[in-house]
């Protein structure tokens, strides 16, 4: 629960920051913060049959996301004191949600591959919904090692669970690996190969 709520807050911040930068009104910023914070978790819960999804059934998820949105809306200069705040909050949210998603999938006795995939879905789902709401190509489709960072973090969690290690060891390790890979990729420009640009005649 703590991991989920922490991830909700940092992802909500990333959604709210984007909303302010797009000059949305307060309602729009709150919608974006809630969508970014809960989109991935809702998709995960629906797929594993954990319904109603925790983000809808538990008022704390909405409260945390709205608090993050309001703070960002009225104290945007404070939030932007961090360098590249959208990317930093997004990387933190990606790591926290990926770990939380993988752990919840394992709790529902899913096989390792499914746990990795649901961990990735939990991590990237909110960001995809956030970007689509402002008509932006989702970061996962073009950004530096976004889904790949989530996949590596989720894999560490699943392997650690399979080896019988304490969750207090492999969960932080998987989250830190995901977070660091995402940040290093941003700063260094690491990315998967991008499709070449072709003229219209080649279509």
């Amino acid at each position: 629960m703590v991991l989920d709520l922490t991830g909700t807050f940092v992802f909500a911040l990333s959604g709210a920051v984007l909303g302010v930068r797009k000059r949305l009104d307060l309602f729009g910023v709150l919608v974006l913060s809630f969508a970014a914070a809960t989109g991935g978790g809702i998709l995960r819960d629906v797929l594993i049959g954990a319904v109603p999804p925790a983000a809808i059934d538990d008022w704390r998820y909405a409260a945390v996301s709205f608090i993050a949105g309001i703070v960002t809306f009225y104290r945007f200069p404070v939030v932007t004191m961090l360098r590249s705040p959208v990317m930093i909050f997004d990387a933190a949210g990606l790591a926290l949600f990926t770990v939380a998603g993988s752990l919840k999938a394992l709790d529902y006795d899913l096989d390792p591959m499914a746990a990795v995939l649901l961990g990735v879905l939990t991590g990237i789902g909110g960001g995809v919904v956030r970007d689509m709401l402002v008509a932006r190509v989702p970061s996962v489709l073009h950004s530096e090692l976004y889904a790949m960072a989530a996949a590596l973090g989720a894999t560490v969690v699943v392997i650690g669970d399979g080896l019988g290690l304490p969750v207090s060891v492999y969960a932080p390790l998987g989250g830190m690996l995901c977070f660091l890979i995402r940040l290093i990729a941003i700063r260094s420009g690491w990315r998967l190969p991008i499709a070449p640009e072709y003229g219209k005649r080649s279509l």
Side-chain angles (χ1 to χ4, degrees):
M1 177 60 69
V2 174
L3 195 63
D4 255 359
L5 289 176
T6 303
T8 297
F9 184 77
V10 294
F11 249 160
L13 284 176
S14 76
V17 168
L18 182 59
V20 172
R21 287 186 166 170
K22 292 289 185 178
R23 301 198 65 189
L24 303 183
D25 61 18
L26 178 58
F27 178 75
V29 170
L30 294 181
V31 168
L32 215 59
S33 65
F34 182 76
T38 63
I42 289 173
L43 289 172
R44 173 201 65 205
D45 288 352
V46 169
L47 287 174
I48 65 177
V51 292
I56 296 175
D57 189 49
D58 191 333
W59 63 270
R60 288 174 291 184
Y61 289 92
V64 166
S65 65
F66 291 154
I67 289 171
I70 291 171
V71 169
T72 304
F73 188 85
Y74 288 107
R75 293 291 183 268
F76 187 71
V78 177
V79 175
T80 54
M81 288 175 64
L82 294 173
R83 183 173 181 264
S84 302
V86 174
M87 292 297 185
I88 293 173
F89 292 139
D90 190 70
L94 178 68
L96 289 167
F97 269 29
T98 295
V99 172
S102 298
L103 290 175
K104 190 162 186 176
L106 291 171
D107 286 342
Y108 275 71
D109 296 323
L110 271 68
D111 62 63
M113 179 59 71
V116 170
L117 293 176
L118 280 177
V120 173
L121 177 63
T122 307
I124 70 174
V128 170
V129 175
R130 174 201 65 202
D131 291 346
M132 291 179 66
L133 285 174
V134 294
R136 190 172 79 167
V137 177
S139 299
V140 67
L141 299 181
H142 67 87
S143 194
E144 303 88 346
L145 298 186
Y146 196 86
M148 185 63 67
L152 291 173
T155 299
V156 168
V157 171
V158 170
I159 290 176
D161 179 77
L163 293 176
L165 299 176
V167 66
S168 59
V169 173
Y170 63 76
L173 184 60
M176 187 59 66
L177 177 64
C178 177
F179 180 72
L180 289 177
I181 290 176
R182 178 71 182 123
L183 280 188
I184 293 173
I186 292 170
R187 296 179 183 277
S188 303
W190 293 352
R191 63 172 66 242
L192 295 175
I194 299 176
E197 184 177 355
Y198 295 102
K200 292 183 179 180
R201 293 183 179 180
S202 62
L203 297 179

